[in-house]
Amino acid sequence: MKHYADLNEILYHVGFAKKDLQGATIAVLPGDPGRVETLAKDIGTEPMPIAVHREYTSWLTHVDEQPVLVCSTGMGGPSVAICLEELARMGITHVIRVGTTGTIQEKINLGDVIINKAAVRLDGTSHHYAPAPFPAVASFAVTGALAEAAAVCGAPFHVGVSVSSDTFWPGQERYDSFTGYVPRCFQGTMKEWQALGALNYEMETSALFVTCQALGIKAGAVCGVVAKRTESESVAPTSAYERALSYQIKIVRGAIKLLLKK
């Protein structure tokens, strides 16, 4: 049995009701609440704030006159899954994650974008929705729309597998933490993921893909490259972030237009 929300029921975590969506079925999900307003204004028209509650800042915008939700998820799998559960109850059927990431492949440059078609499950949240052998894969339709939109706008994009970790330091084999300690189970893993062709590290995509599969939501993810782990542990200058974000906005807008036609 599926538990849909009543039209006026304010969901506990996101802090708004189904009526506020005005019939929207597509959601754009950045991690950072601070990016929501910019995305809502640049992706569509008639942007308007809906709610601010905990890590969930939500705006409504319009693409081709159709309402689209932009809602932050915060960092990490647990808050992503909570958001997805409540959006599913309000009728959201498609989601696009818009995030930042660090590449582990030399061929990918700062400011490029990565469209993830699948993810390595180094998170904990996805294991509460499906057993370990179950794959974390994106929707073919959403991923295809993102790739098509990226090609049309001339973005430097790469399609491949992400490594989703619950931690920023040990799970991503970073040694510049407070103690510099990385457990033995993670030592040497970056070389292993590189050899297997994985493109990037981030912290939400595996939870997103598995939770969406369990809930019956079609999901995709596009991340801007703000760190190049083959060269440095440092986050890139603001210019690289802004370059990636400008491409992400074009890609997401184009993908939504394609999905609305289907």
Side-chain angles (χ1 to χ4, degrees):
M1 178 185 297
K2 293 182 178 179
H3 299 93
Y4 287 103
D6 294 334
L7 190 64
N8 296 308
E9 179 185 355
I10 296 177
L11 277 293
Y12 179 74
H13 296 93
V14 295
F16 61 87
K18 182 177 180 179
K19 67 177 182 179
D20 296 313
L21 295 180
Q22 299 180 17
T25 59
I26 297 175
V28 177
L29 306 179
D32 183 0
R35 292 203 298 265
V36 173
E37 181 176 353
T38 296
L39 287 169
K41 290 180 176 178
D42 290 350
I43 287 171
T45 59
E46 302 177 60
M48 58 175 290
I50 297 176
V52 177
H53 191 239
R54 302 188 182 206
E55 59 263 61
Y56 307 111
T57 293
S58 304
W59 281 56
L60 200 69
T61 191
H62 294 79
V63 176
D64 287 347
E65 301 182 350
Q66 297 299 310
V68 173
L69 173 68
V70 183
C71 177
S72 60
T73 62
M75 286 191 292
S79 61
V80 169
I82 288 170
C83 181
L84 291 170
E85 285 274 7
E86 296 193 347
L87 295 187
R89 291 192 62 205
M90 291 186 282
I92 293 295
T93 59
H94 295 70
V95 299
I96 299 173
R97 162 167 149 69
V98 180
T100 55
T101 191
T103 182
I104 58 175
Q105 296 293 345
E106 184 61 42
K107 66 180 180 180
I108 301 175
N109 297 311
L110 294 171
D112 286 5
V113 293
I114 293 175
I115 297 169
N116 286 126
K117 62 182 180 179
V120 178
R121 296 173 60 190
L122 294 188
D123 73 296
T125 300
S126 70
H127 296 269
H128 286 219
Y129 282 87
F134 193 85
V137 292
S139 156
F140 181 80
V142 179
T143 303
L146 289 169
E148 183 175 344
V152 168
C153 75
F157 75 100
H158 314 264
V159 179
V161 176
S162 166
V163 180
S164 283
S165 167
D166 265 346
T167 54
F168 187 81
W169 280 277
Q172 299 184 39
E173 202 188 354
R174 280 188 165 99
Y175 294 92
D176 61 340
S177 64
F178 177 62
T179 63
Y181 173 69
V182 172
R184 280 181 293 177
C185 62
F186 291 123
Q187 292 176 22
T189 52
M190 190 169 87
K191 286 186 177 180
E192 185 171 28
W193 304 132
Q194 287 171 322
L196 290 168
L199 302 185
N200 59 305
Y201 276 117
E202 47 71 51
M203 298 177 64
E204 290 83 22
T205 300
S206 59
L208 178 90
F209 288 168
V210 174
T211 305
C212 280
Q213 179 67 36
L215 299 177
I217 296 174
K218 297 183 184 302
V222 55
C223 292
V225 177
V226 298
K228 187 166 183 176
R229 297 286 304 282
T230 56
E231 295 179 357
S232 171
E233 298 294 346
S234 301
V235 175
T238 304
S239 58
Y241 167 79
E242 291 175 346
R243 177 173 179 261
L245 181 61
S246 68
Y247 284 125
Q248 287 174 291
I249 288 167
K250 294 174 184 177
I251 292 168
V252 171
R253 185 194 303 122
I256 292 172
K257 286 176 177 285
L258 290 168
L259 292 170
L260 288 171
K261 292 178 181 178
K262 296 181 179 180

